[in-house]
Amino acid sequence: MSKHIKTNLGTIWAITIITILSIIFTAFIAAMGFLPLIQRLPSDYIIFSQLFYQISLYSIARLMKKSFTFGELAVVSQILTLVAVEAWVITINKFKLLKITPLENHVPSSLITFQNALVLGMLLIGMISSPFLIHSRYLAQQRSWKSKRAHIRNNNNGKKRMALVIYLISVIIVGLVGLWVQSLLGRNPYLWIFAFVIETRVRIFLCIFWIVLIAISLVLFNQMGQTRKTYSLNSKRKYFHFLALVMFIPGYLYEPEFMHLAFSVAFAALIYLEYLRYFAVYPIGKQLHMFLSEFLDSRDSGPCILSHIYLLIGCAGCIWLDGSFILANLSGIFTLGLGDSMASIIGKRYGRNRWPKSCKTIEGSIAFFVFLFIGAFILVNISSSPNMWPGSSAQWFKYALAVLTTALLEAASFQNDNLILPLFMWSFLNIQM
């Protein structure tokens, strides 16, 4: 017991020291003029962000072992830190809880407030209901084939009680988060979302379009499971990449604000479904696990199945960041839905020449570049949006360079493509502008 206490104290001291050093290092670099954006931030923001980032790194690495590479862990922790800092700043400024220096012209929109509420709400549900989630998984792991009938019945009743508690906690937290949003915006958040969705016919059509596509996909995969014909894991996974291309590009071109909110809702829903799957929450946890297990590969070696969540983050992240041009914001959708998919399909079927120390093929990388660049060029030329992409030859050369560099990264990187490639390409394009 004393050894366990000493280990925990040592961990706390290590996190404290690392956090202090990171704050000092960040402040020093900013003071030297290398980080002009951070240099303009008040010290309160830097301290809070660094503290939350270090705690996120440790907590995720400890709770979700083998689910992340270090690069993926750093990106996920940065995303959580950005959301947490934004929510902290909004709350502190609104209720004047502390004396901190306000940011100039920092008035978050209703959409940003809702995005923060959705993500943080899902994290709160996981944290507060964690004892019941853990017990739900414990009950699901109990062996029933050796047990008596009465024990099996009690076990099933226990699963149902745990599920009821978890769902009740979820409803309460959703209500509390809704009250927080209402206090910030001065309006009922649920009525606002409903009014926002039905505001235009295009948004209603998009919702119906997405529901129909998802329903068709589920029916297809159900039929595939019942037939004797087998489909490769790569074909199953890349189907969802193409589905993202079909679903998200029309939505962003016609209703960009609606896509911001839709991505946030989908992200929160996937996090909640992962809770239900991993902790085997009655009645759908087992079915979710069986369905998602059909798409596992070597990168899903940890307790969490994250590839589908990474796919959504990759597509949504570039849109959430909201760069200067529409084509740059579509980097995630094009990179994963077109470039990565065609690289995988062409590389596995026709690839003969492999990159050094890699299982990826040169033919696959060529397909990545060709299909992504041609797809982007066609979209720009058929689109009537003036903010799609500058049409000069120099700008197209920069775009080709970004696509080529991303294709090479796809061939060389051991990180999860769904998370890393979109953010890299978006950053490359916006740095050049």
Side-chain angles (χ1 to χ4, degrees), residues 239 249 259 290 319 358 404:
Y239 170 83
I249 286 184
M259 286 303 300
M290 293 174 63
I319 291 175
S358 174
L404 177 61

Side-chain angles (χ1 to χ4, degrees), residues 46 48 84 107 110 112 121 208 217 227 246 334 349 353 403:
I46 297 175
F48 179 82
V107 181
S110 299
I112 291 177
I208 297 172
S217 300
T227 59
V246 174
F334 267 122
R349 180 164 295 186
N353 304 290
V403 175

Side-chain angles (χ1 to χ4, degrees), residues 17-28:
I17 293 171
I18 291 172
T19 302
I20 293 172
L21 290 176
S22 66
I23 292 171
I24 294 173
F25 179 75
T26 303
F28 174 76

Side-chain angles (χ1 to χ4, degrees), residues 175-349:
L176 293 174
V177 171
L179 290 175
W180 174 70
V181 174
Q182 185 171 347
S183 65
L184 293 175
L185 302 180
R187 68 188 80 171
N188 187 298
Y190 310 109
L191 293 178
W192 184 90
I193 289 179
F194 179 75
F196 185 77
V197 171
I198 65 171
E199 186 176 352
T200 67
R201 292 182 179 179
V202 175
R203 293 175 186 175
I204 298 173
F205 172 79
L206 284 172
C207 291
I208 297 172
F209 177 61
W210 294 335
I211 292 171
V212 169
L213 282 180
I214 293 172
I216 291 173
S217 300
L218 292 176
V219 171
L220 286 175
F221 276 100
N222 184 53
Q223 291 180 347
M224 286 165 56
Q226 295 176 359
T227 59
R228 294 183 179 180
K229 186 176 180 180
T230 58
Y231 294 86
S232 68
L233 173 62
N234 188 59
S235 299
K236 293 178 181 178
R237 291 172 69 95
K238 298 312 171 188
Y239 170 83
F240 285 100
H241 286 234
F242 284 122
L243 188 64
L245 191 74
V246 174
M247 290 176 65
F248 300 150
I249 286 184
Y252 184 64
L253 291 179
Y254 290 101
E255 285 286 351
E257 285 192 347
F258 182 60
M259 286 303 300
H260 278 263
L261 182 62
F263 274 134
S264 302
V265 172
F267 179 58
L270 289 183
I271 293 176
Y272 192 72
L273 290 175
E274 182 60 17
Y275 290 156
L276 301 184
R277 181 207 67 83
Y278 177 72
F279 294 104
V281 179
Y282 181 87
I284 64 171
K286 182 179 178 180
Q287 286 72 21
L288 281 171
H289 180 74
M290 293 174 63
F291 176 75
L292 290 174
S293 296
E294 295 288 327
F295 307 95
L296 294 179
D297 68 358
S298 58
R299 287 171 292 190
D300 290 306
S301 58
C304 299
I305 300 177
L306 297 170
S307 287
H308 59 297
I309 300 178
Y310 283 167
L311 175 62
L312 182 71
I313 294 176
C315 294
C318 300
I319 291 175
W320 285 336
L321 291 170
D322 200 15
S324 303
F325 295 97
I326 294 175
L327 189 60
N329 296 338
L330 290 172
S331 295
I333 301 173
F334 267 122
T335 300
L336 301 179
L338 203 55
D340 183 55
S341 298
M342 296 309 301
S344 182
I345 293 171
I346 299 297
K348 288 184 181 295
R349 180 164 295 186

Side-chain angles (χ1 to χ4, degrees), residues 15-56:
I15 293 175
T16 304
I17 293 171
I18 291 172
T19 302
I20 293 172
L21 290 176
S22 66
I23 292 171
I24 294 173
F25 179 75
T26 303
F28 174 76
I29 295 296
M32 295 293 292
F34 295 110
L35 300 172
L37 179 62
I38 295 180
Q39 192 175 15
R40 294 196 296 268
L41 292 176
S43 59
D44 317 82
Y45 296 73
I46 297 175
I47 293 172
F48 179 82
S49 62
Q50 289 297 316
L51 180 63
F52 192 91
Y53 177 72
Q54 296 298 335
I55 293 175
S56 298

